[in-house]
Amino acid sequence: MSEKERTDFKQDLQKWDVQLKPDPHTAQHVLNRIASEQVLNSPEKRFPKLIPFLLATGIAAVLVFGTVFIINQQAQTRLIQDHQYLSLIDPVTRVQSHEGNTSKDLLLEQLAWMQNRLDLSRDQFMELVGLHQNYSDKFNGLYEELVRLESEYDHFEALRKNNEMVDFMALYDVLLEREETESLAHNLSQELIAKVSSILTPSQRTTYLSMVTLSTNPNA
């Protein structure tokens, strides 16, 4: 391009002035857009979208809480029943829980619960009823003996707390007799547990032994 052509081109560019016609409604369009965005983002518009989510979350929370509550209640009931059965076959546990002698009705009630817990057959249930009845009087006798010895020990303990004279030889005899009686009770419980276990299937035996673990320790 020659110098003259370059000069003419610059002059043409300087004369080129495009006139744009402004939109008289531009300001209103901007205001309308801002208003629409505010409406869409307002809590009133967002809330309907949150309703299904909140309902689903609430229902899930109720279901979880209800399930946990039921499981805890069942576990608590199971522990109570297990303890009651322990008292039935362990005089030491019975003394510690102050539950008294067992009656025939209580025996049958506990064995009926155990039938459901272990899913016993009719023959198994009847055999266990007879077995527990054979041991019931022996357990009650040992329980009464332990209660007597506990009462005698409490008498010596009361003398000691009141700074009164204590016959330590007599106290020693009581403690020794209590230890021997607890050992007899423990051995008798173990004997019954072994006989009950022989009646059960392997899976039933596992559940049953987990119920009576606490009764296997004579010093528990």
Side-chain angles (χ1 to χ4, degrees):
M1 179 182 292
S2 65
E3 185 64 30
K4 182 178 182 304
E5 291 174 341
R6 187 179 293 108
T7 301
D8 293 340
F9 180 71
K10 288 182 179 179
Q11 290 175 353
D12 291 338
L13 286 176
Q14 291 173 355
K15 294 177 182 179
W16 187 34
D17 184 11
V18 180
Q19 298 294 325
L20 298 177
K21 295 182 180 181
D23 185 353
H25 303 293
T26 299
Q28 187 62 44
H29 290 329
V30 172
L31 292 176
N32 291 342
R33 180 62 181 271
I34 294 174
S36 64
E37 290 292 333
Q38 290 177 342
V39 170
L40 289 174
N41 293 325
S42 65
E44 293 79 3
K45 291 295 182 180
R46 292 199 307 268
F47 184 71
K49 298 180 180 180
L50 291 177
I51 290 178
F53 172 76
L54 293 175
L55 286 177
T57 303
I59 292 172
V62 170
L63 290 175
V64 170
F65 176 79
T67 302
V68 171
F69 177 79
I70 292 172
I71 291 174
N72 287 338
Q73 288 295 104
Q74 291 175 340
Q76 184 66 23
T77 301
R78 178 177 60 78
L79 289 174
I80 292 173
Q81 292 283 11
D82 285 358
H83 181 77
Q84 289 177 344
Y85 179 74
L86 279 178
S87 297
L88 186 70
I89 66 167
D90 185 359
V92 177
T93 299
R94 198 185 306 174
V95 170
Q96 294 172 348
S97 59
H98 307 287
E99 294 191 12
N101 272 334
T102 58
S103 63
K104 182 178 179 180
D105 290 340
L106 179 60
L107 174 65
L108 293 177
E109 176 187 334
Q110 288 300 301
L111 291 178
W113 165 80
M114 198 167 79
Q115 180 184 25
N116 292 330
R117 176 81 187 277
L118 301 178
D119 193 22
L120 301 173
S121 67
R122 184 179 182 280
D123 290 341
Q124 284 178 314
F125 175 70
M126 296 305 297
E127 193 169 355
L128 288 184
V129 169
L131 185 60
H132 284 79
Q133 285 179 335
N134 291 338
Y135 279 82
S136 180
D137 290 341
K138 298 176 184 178
F139 285 137
N140 285 338
L142 288 169
Y143 165 77
E144 293 171 357
E145 183 67 11
L146 288 171
V147 169
R148 179 185 68 80
L149 293 169
E150 191 70 21
S151 177
E152 292 185 14
Y153 173 79
D154 289 343
H155 171 70
F156 288 113
E157 184 66 10
L159 292 176
R160 183 190 66 80
K161 289 181 178 179
N162 293 327
N163 295 319
E164 298 183 32
M165 185 68 68
V166 175
D167 185 344
F168 288 102
M169 291 301 298
L171 174 59
Y172 174 78
D173 290 339
V174 169
L175 292 175
L176 183 61
E177 187 177 358
R178 185 175 68 174
E179 183 179 350
E180 292 174 347
T181 305
E182 288 180 347
S183 180
L184 287 173
H186 169 68
N187 291 336
L188 192 65
S189 296
Q190 290 292 86
E191 182 180 305
L192 174 63
I193 289 171
K195 291 183 178 180
V196 170
S197 297
S198 67
I199 298 173
L200 305 177
T201 66
S203 60
Q204 291 172 334
R205 189 179 304 117
T206 299
T207 303
Y208 176 73
L209 292 178
S210 71
M211 292 163 46
V212 298
T213 299
L214 293 178
S215 68
T216 61
N217 182 0
N219 297 317

